[in-house]
């Protein structure tokens, strides 16, 4: 067999000839055999490299070592004209880099390109021209910045790339350090700071009466409603039945079928493990809903969970003792206050069966809740009367009997605190307050408090109880939002309008990042009983109240002679008549609203056309009631600064803050709702001009 000789120009790879292989690539693809296009004029020519021909196999094809593996040809893009593809600023320096040059020339490192001029087309020329003109007309203070930029540009010409990068980092670090040195931290105790001032050590004027807005506690009891039967039964229906409730001095709650009976049909004693549930509204009858509250027996236990991960929790198991309801809101809050007073003054009883109980995770939780009550003037919303009462509840799971010490931001101990580092609790206020009219639970050592101003007590095991209550002075000048309500009567037509906007003087509203929202906002406009039928309509399930929502008004009838349609509108939330309050309730879930600015005003408008001007009362209710909650906020600015436990350092400590606001705003009576026209106040609505 004759040996096969492969010519150099007709090399075959994988069954394809070299010419066929090259025909599969576009024209702009070159191979090593081809010559590189010449450089532009004026640039020195680079000596051409000798092309490497592919390796020719040996004539002895059968020998295993005669045929060597052919290297795959390396392809590269065609080098365009260097003057066309280089649009860079000219390089005025010669870089000396000890590295092997690559086959494809690097425009940043090639010495032949040092004289290439930049492209005349610069899309950013207008930007730099404006910047240069602005720097020329700037003040003298920008002089150091210009010199700094000039020095950096000079250094870029003198230093190489690595040295310049190091210099740039050091310059940035130096400027950051200079910026930090110029920052001045404000002393919260300095007189010129924007934080709230501390309370004085001695009050020249005594505190006013505590506002509760409730009826005085009756000696004989309250008329209430009871769910009959108390337990759910599938075979029978349940309904609300009238009863009469009394509270004795010894802490017993007595339930009577009616007022005047001597013997109750049910009686039980309030205990330390009894808790009052949150107030709720439930369906009562066709007229509306009813206020309800439960008294539960709560037993807290430590439970260990393994799914989805090991976890130790402390949960409470609730057992209902009694559930009461009423349609009178004043009686409702009156009986709640009376039950809280009875539970607060119960003697401290230690359960010996749980004294030696060992918990896997020990923890103590403090709930600090402020109750604000106030009366605001009309127009400017100036505080006429107010009172702030702080209630502190404790729930602890601690092994054994251990004394606990609490430290507050009391003005009397300012600068004299001595606590361990691990006992300090984080706070969000620098204000120091004065505690007034302190009342304590039976487990607190009152004599030690008056001498050291530290609350020392033995916490009840696995039981939530009220530790203490006291009064403070409201430190804010305004409330979270401003409300103005105006009523106008023209003959048989009545117009009622309320404007609401967030207050800029409230400390929480000054910073949008730390702003605390108002939740469950209810604004109640009292309505005379003669007008109730105008807000109700017949439906399939009986009568229902007309409800106004955003972009959907509640119409009361056809347009009147004045051309405006009797209707009720809101720009945020909902509004409807609620029989439980005997008022039109404007409900807003959150303020400020998530979809609007914090300073955006909101409005409630109601236009009612009566059958006759005789239905207009001689005098309207004086106030509009406002009620809302603020989580993680404090109206009294009271803060728990330290929690100390004897010989225990691994106890988890929690402090929860909340505030509840309930105040009244005076109602304005004017001849016109037009704010652009000055109208006189009217005390008697019958004196308004007839239509």
């Amino acid at each position: 067999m004759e040996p096969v000789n492969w010519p150099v120009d007709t090399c075959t790879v994988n069954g394809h000839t070299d010419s066929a292989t090259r025909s599969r690539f576009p024209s702009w693809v070159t191979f090593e055999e081809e010559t590189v296009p010449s450089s532009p004029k004026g640039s020195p020519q680079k000596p051409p490299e000798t092309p490497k021909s592919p390796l020719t196999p040996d004539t002895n094809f059968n020998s295993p070592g005669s045929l060597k593996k052919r290297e795959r040809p390396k392809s590269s893009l065609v080098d365009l004209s260097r003057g066309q593809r280089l649009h860079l600023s000219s390089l005025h320096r010669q870089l000396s880099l000890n590295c092997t040059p690559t086959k494809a020339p690097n425009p940043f490192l090639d010495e032949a390109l040092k004289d290439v001029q930049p492209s005349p087309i610069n899309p950013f020329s207008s930007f730099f021209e404006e910047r240069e003109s602005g720097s020329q007309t700037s003040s003298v203070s920008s002089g150091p910045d210009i010199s700094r930029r000039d020095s950096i540009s000079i250094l870029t010409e003198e230093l190489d790339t690595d040295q310049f990068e190091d210099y740039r980092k050091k310059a940035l670090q130096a400027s950051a350090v200079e910026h930090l040195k110029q920052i001045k931290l404000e002393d919260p105790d300095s007189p010129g700071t924007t934080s709230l001032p501390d309370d004085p050590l001695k009050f020249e004027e005594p505190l006013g009466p505590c506002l509760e807005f409730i009826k005085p506690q009756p000696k004989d009891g309250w008329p209430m409603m009871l769910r009959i039967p108390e337990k759910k039964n599938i075979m029978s229906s349940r309904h609300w039945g009238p009863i009469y409730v009394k509270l004795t001095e010894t802490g017993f709650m007595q339930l009577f079928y009616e007022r005047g009976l001597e013997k109750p049909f049910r009686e039980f004693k309030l205990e330390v493990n009894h808790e009052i549930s949150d107030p709720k509204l439930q369906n009562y009858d066709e007229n509306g809903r009813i206020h309800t509250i439960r008294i539960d027996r709560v037993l807290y236990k430590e439970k260990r969970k393994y799914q989805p991960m090991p976890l130790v929790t402390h949960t409470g198991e609730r057992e209902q003792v009694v559930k009461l309801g009423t349609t009178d809101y004043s009686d409702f809050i009156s009986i709640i206050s009376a039950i809280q007073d009875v539970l607060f003054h119960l003697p401290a009883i230690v359960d010996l069966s749980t004294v030696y109980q060992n918990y896997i995770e020990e923890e103590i939780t403090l709930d600090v809740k402020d109750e604000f009550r106030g009366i605001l003037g009309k127009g400017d919303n100036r505080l006429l009367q107010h009172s702030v009462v702080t209630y502190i509840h404790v729930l602890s799971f601690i092994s054994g009997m251990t004394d606990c010490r609490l430290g507050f931001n009391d003005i009397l101990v300012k600068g004299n605190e001595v606590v361990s580092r691990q006992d300090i609790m984080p706070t969000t206020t620098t204000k120091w307050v004065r505690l007034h009219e302190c009342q304590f639970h039976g487990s607190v050592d009152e004599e030690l408090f008056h001498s050291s101003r530290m609350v020392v007590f033995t916490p009840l095991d696995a039981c939530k109880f009220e530790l203490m209550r006291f009064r403070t002075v409201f430190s804010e000048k305004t409330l979270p939002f401003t409300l103005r309500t105006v009523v106008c009567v023209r003959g048989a037509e009545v117009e009622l309008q309320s404007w609401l906007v967030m207050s800029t003087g409230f400390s929480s509203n000054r910073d949008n990042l730390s702003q605390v929202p108002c939740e469950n906002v209810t604004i109640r406009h009292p309505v005379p009983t003669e007008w109730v039928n105008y807000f109700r309509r017949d439906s399939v399930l009986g009568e229902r109240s007309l409800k106004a929502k955003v972009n959907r008004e509640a119409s009361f009838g056809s347009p009147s002679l004045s051309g405006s349609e009797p209707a009720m509108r809101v720009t945020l939330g909902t509004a409807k008549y609620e029989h439980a309050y005997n008022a039109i309730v404007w409900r807003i879930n959150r303020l400020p609203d998530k979809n609007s600015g914090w300073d955006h005003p909101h409005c409630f408008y109601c236009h009612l056309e009566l059958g006759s001007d005789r239905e207009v009362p001689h005098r309207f209710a004086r106030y509009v009631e406002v009620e809302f909650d603020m989580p993680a906020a404090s109206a009294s600015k009271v803060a728990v600064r330290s929690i100390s436990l004897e010989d225990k350092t691994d106890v988890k400590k929690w402090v929860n803050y909340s505030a509840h606001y309930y105040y009244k705003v005076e109602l304005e009576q004017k001849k016109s709702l037009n704010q652009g026209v000055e109208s006189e106040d009217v005390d008697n609505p019958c004196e308004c001009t007839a239509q």
Side-chain angles (χ1 to χ4, degrees), residues 358-371:
N358 294 325
Y359 293 99
I360 301 175
E361 289 188 0
E362 298 180 320
E363 65 176 356
I364 180 171
T365 304
L366 269 68
D367 293 333
V368 182
K369 184 176 181 180
D370 294 334
E371 293 283 349

Side-chain angles (χ1 to χ4, degrees), residues 179-198:
H179 180 69
L180 291 175
K181 289 180 179 179
Q182 295 177 1
I183 296 177
K184 296 181 180 179
L185 299 178
E186 295 184 356
D187 184 8
D189 297 331
S190 62
T193 184
T194 57
S195 60
L196 297 175
D198 297 340

Side-chain angles (χ1 to χ4, degrees), residues 24 250 258 268 361 496 579 602 683:
R24 290 189 297 108
T250 55
E258 61 182 23
F268 62 92
E361 289 188 0
L496 178 67
H579 182 68
H602 301 284
D683 294 334

Side-chain angles (χ1 to χ4, degrees), residues 39-40 80-88 113 116-120:
S39 302
L80 300 177
S81 176
R82 290 172 181 170
Q84 297 178 1
R85 64 191 177 102
L86 181 62
H87 300 291
L88 301 170
L113 303 178
V116 177
Q117 298 297 326
S119 173

